Amino acid sequence: MSPHQAGLRHLTAQSGGRALPLIALYPTDAPEQPQALGPYTVRAAADAPVRAGVHPVVLISHGNNGSPLTHRDTATYLARHGFVVLLPEHVGNSRSDTSLDGTIERLRVRPQQVHDAFAALQHDDELGAHVDPHWRAIVGHSIGACTALAAAGGAPVNTPFDTPLEAPRRLEVTHTPGLRALVLLAPAAGWFMPPASLHEVTVPVLLLRGEADTVTPAFHADIIRDALPPNAPLHEEVVPGAGHFSFQTPFPPALVSPAFPPAHDPPGFDRATYHGQLNRQIAAFLEPLQRPYI
């Protein structure tokens, strides 16, 4: 049984001169109701009062040209267990705006948007007084994991895939203060191949990858493992039978079709059952009063 209910509030951050849409989920005592958000439904109390106290903050960074709502169940689970959860829809690299797809600019913009999303939450009239600016974490899926690593001090470089006519060079990205932990789901890590690119990332890392992931196979985890400094606690697990998209909340039946790969898993993998385990594992890892994998 969850200790709290989940509240839901829409926010907007300003990032790079553009509006960055945010959904905030947070602990509340108000009763939840189904909230329709496009093709998805989230059980939460809209604009309900925040539960008293100061809460740790978790931001979830979605994958390439994706949607933050593909991690809606993880977000509501964390909110019910005492976290304020931010879901940004990355401008330029989301389902509704793909203008930065395949460019190195998305590698710069995404960490900046993470920084600006945390700042917008901190200054929100309703939520700001209830969030801890010194306890922040990021959960990132696919390129969202690259975003998390960059925000935590990583130094990505462009690759021939992004800029075939340019030599690799370090990209200047915005780092986020107050980060305490990272959760990397099926991480895309090709931008961190050079030595020392992750030497400034010293927070605990939980890395989960799918055994049957053909989008970001095992060598991406190898890159992260080899690039992190010795003092960065890393807990890595291979999820048997999981694919690249198995870390996303199961999709509504209306979105399940052969033409939509994110809704499908390798044969024999039960995404719905796994997500109960996944959400519990992330919450246990992030719980600031516990000593999980450090």
Side-chain angles (χ1 to χ4, degrees):
M1 181 177 179
S2 301
H4 313 303
Q5 304 289 298
L8 184 150
R9 180 174 170 82
H10 291 273
L11 308 176
T12 302
Q14 292 299 315
S15 187
R18 302 184 66 181
L20 174 67
L22 302 171
I23 295 172
L25 291 155
Y26 51 88
T28 182
D29 295 320
E32 298 176 348
Q33 299 291 335
Q35 309 292 333
L37 301 173
Y40 305 104
T41 299
V42 174
R43 287 196 61 85
D47 296 316
V50 189
R51 184 173 175 82
V54 177
H55 310 291
V57 185
V58 178
L59 181 144
I60 301 180
S61 180
H62 64 74
N64 189 54
N65 293 339
S67 163
L69 291 170
T70 58
H71 300 282
R72 62 198 178 280
D73 280 4
T74 298
T76 52
Y77 185 93
L78 292 175
R80 291 168 187 150
H81 287 77
F83 296 88
V84 174
V85 184
L86 275 177
L87 298 175
E89 183 171 340
H90 287 292
V91 178
N93 195 215
S94 72
R95 61 176 181 175
S96 56
D97 179 358
T98 62
S99 57
L100 297 180
D101 185 29
T103 69
I104 59 172
E105 188 61 20
R106 64 181 170 163
L107 303 180
R108 298 191 187 99
V109 164
R110 278 173 154 264
Q112 181 66 56
Q113 291 176 355
V114 166
H115 181 277
D116 295 338
F118 278 118
L121 175 67
Q122 194 67 44
H123 291 97
D124 182 75
D125 290 341
E126 299 297 327
L127 295 171
H130 295 280
V131 298
D132 186 347
H134 306 294
W135 205 104
R136 297 168 168 175
I138 303 175
V139 176
H141 176 243
S142 194
I143 196 175
C146 170
T147 303
L149 289 165
V157 300
N158 60 306
T159 69
F161 175 79
D162 306 302
T163 52
L165 300 181
E166 296 183 22
R169 68 182 189 280
R170 177 173 174 166
L171 304 175
E172 296 299 323
V173 295
T174 301
H175 303 314
T176 293
L179 288 177
R180 295 292 187 91
L182 304 180
V183 178
L184 311 180
L185 307 175
W191 300 283
F192 296 109
M193 284 190 288
S197 60
L198 294 178
H199 277 196
E200 298 301 317
V201 179
T202 58
V203 298
V205 175
L206 172 63
L207 191 160
L208 303 176
R209 60 184 180 89
E211 178 187 38
D213 188 342
T214 60
V215 179
T216 55
F219 77 84
H220 288 269
D222 297 340
I223 291 170
I224 295 171
R225 193 184 316 110
D226 294 342
L228 286 172
N231 61 329
L234 171 65
H235 180 83
E236 178 182 351
E237 288 187 16
V238 180
V239 181
H244 185 71
F245 301 105
S246 300
F247 300 95
Q248 296 180 330
T249 298
F251 284 86
L255 294 182
V256 178
S257 76
F260 188 54
H264 299 278
D265 298 289
F269 187 80
D270 185 342
R271 189 187 303 199
T273 297
Y274 170 65
H275 269 256
Q277 171 190 331
L278 173 66
N279 295 339
R280 290 190 298 271
Q281 183 175 15
I282 292 175
F285 176 74
L286 293 177
E287 170 54 57
L289 301 179
Q290 296 180 2
R291 184 179 181 271
Y293 305 114
I294 301 176

